[in-house]
Amino acid sequence: MAFAARIGAAMTQADGADSAFERLFRSEYAKVAAIARRILFDAHAAEDVAQDVFVSFHRLHAPDAPFASKWLHTAAVHSALNAVRGRKRRVRREIADAAADQAASRTGDPLETVASVELRTAVAQTLGRINPKYAAVLAMRYAGLSYAEVADALGVSANHVGTMLRRAEAAFKKEHRHDPS
């Protein structure tokens, strides 16, 4: 059973009825996890980040707070970026997991598999090195959030998101090309 389904079932059993937090969780979990997954390239780590974000929100705020979505999306970006910055000791395990997943899904060229794993690692490291606001806009947009949702999470107008996205992509490309590794 998926994490979201397990937590939803547990909440329903505890309350007996839909709570405000359960409704918030059900409406935002997929977006929060997608944002984290875009940065981490690891579904399990993204679920851990999403869980931590919801626990933190629950401890600090009322579930019906008007800023809930914005807070959750922003916290997902920051938590995921912190995980990227702190994952030096986990890099070997993640590379091995990604290589195993790729090998299990296809029997293609081993060089392609290694290149794909290296690219994912380089993208995650590059996101950790660029301006956090640029990393946030890239992660949110490529995780499927609309311009309006990105704007709300970052506290800017929706008209400004396109410009931020272009600048973020340019900064990412520049940093990725100058990658020291």
Side-chain angles (χ1 to χ4, degrees), residues 27-50:
S27 70
E28 295 297 328
Y29 178 81
K31 291 177 186 176
V32 170
I35 290 167
R37 212 173 15 260
R38 262 307 164 187
I39 295 171
L40 297 170
F41 294 105
D42 180 336
H44 298 293
E47 284 190 1
D48 290 343
V49 166

Side-chain angles (χ1 to χ4, degrees), residues 115-139:
S116 177
V117 170
E118 288 175 357
L119 179 61
R120 288 176 183 225
T121 302
V123 167
Q125 290 172 347
T126 302
L127 283 172
R129 287 192 309 270
I130 65 173
N131 180 318
K133 200 162 202 170
Y134 286 165
V137 75
L138 287 171

Side-chain angles (χ1 to χ4, degrees), residues 94-125:
E94 290 173 358
I95 290 173
D97 287 348
D101 290 345
Q102 295 245 342
S105 68
R106 67 172 196 233
T107 58
D109 183 7
L111 292 176
E112 251 183 65
T113 302
V114 170
S116 177
V117 170
E118 288 175 357
L119 179 61
R120 288 176 183 225
T121 302
V123 167
Q125 290 172 347

Side-chain angles (χ1 to χ4, degrees), residues 24 64 75 89 102 112 136 174 181:
L24 175 66
D64 55 356
R89 67 181 180 268
Q102 295 245 342
E112 251 183 65
K174 180 179 178 183
S181 55

Side-chain angles (χ1 to χ4, degrees), residues 3-164:
F3 172 76
R6 286 194 316 266
I7 206 77
M11 281 191 251
T12 301
Q13 290 171 358
D15 295 304
D18 280 356
S19 68
F21 184 76
E22 181 180 358
R23 287 189 302 276
L24 175 66
F25 181 86
R26 289 180 188 272
S27 70
E28 295 297 328
Y29 178 81
K31 291 177 186 176
V32 170
I35 290 167
R37 212 173 15 260
R38 262 307 164 187
I39 295 171
L40 297 170
F41 294 105
D42 180 336
H44 298 293
E47 284 190 1
D48 290 343
V49 166
Q51 179 182 3
D52 291 344
V53 165
F54 275 97
V55 168
S56 295
F57 183 84
H58 184 62
R59 287 182 182 153
L60 297 170
H61 306 290
D64 55 356
F67 55 84
S69 294
K70 174 182 176 178
W71 193 98
L72 291 166
H73 299 165
T74 304
V77 170
H78 291 296
S79 295
L81 287 172
N82 287 341
V84 167
R85 291 181 188 111
R87 80 190 326 185
K88 285 183 182 178
R89 67 181 180 268
R90 296 182 303 242
V91 168
R92 279 184 237 127
R93 186 197 75 207
E94 290 173 358
I95 290 173
D97 287 348
D101 290 345
Q102 295 245 342
S105 68
R106 67 172 196 233
T107 58
D109 183 7
L111 292 176
E112 251 183 65
T113 302
V114 170
S116 177
V117 170
E118 288 175 357
L119 179 61
R120 288 176 183 225
T121 302
V123 167
Q125 290 172 347
T126 302
L127 283 172
R129 287 192 309 270
I130 65 173
N131 180 318
K133 200 162 202 170
Y134 286 165
V137 75
L138 287 171
M140 287 183 203
R141 185 63 184 138
Y142 286 102
L145 270 65
S146 69
Y147 274 35
E149 290 170 319
V150 172
D152 186 44
L154 296 178
V156 299
S157 76
N159 295 336
H160 189 61
V161 172
T163 302
M164 286 180 66

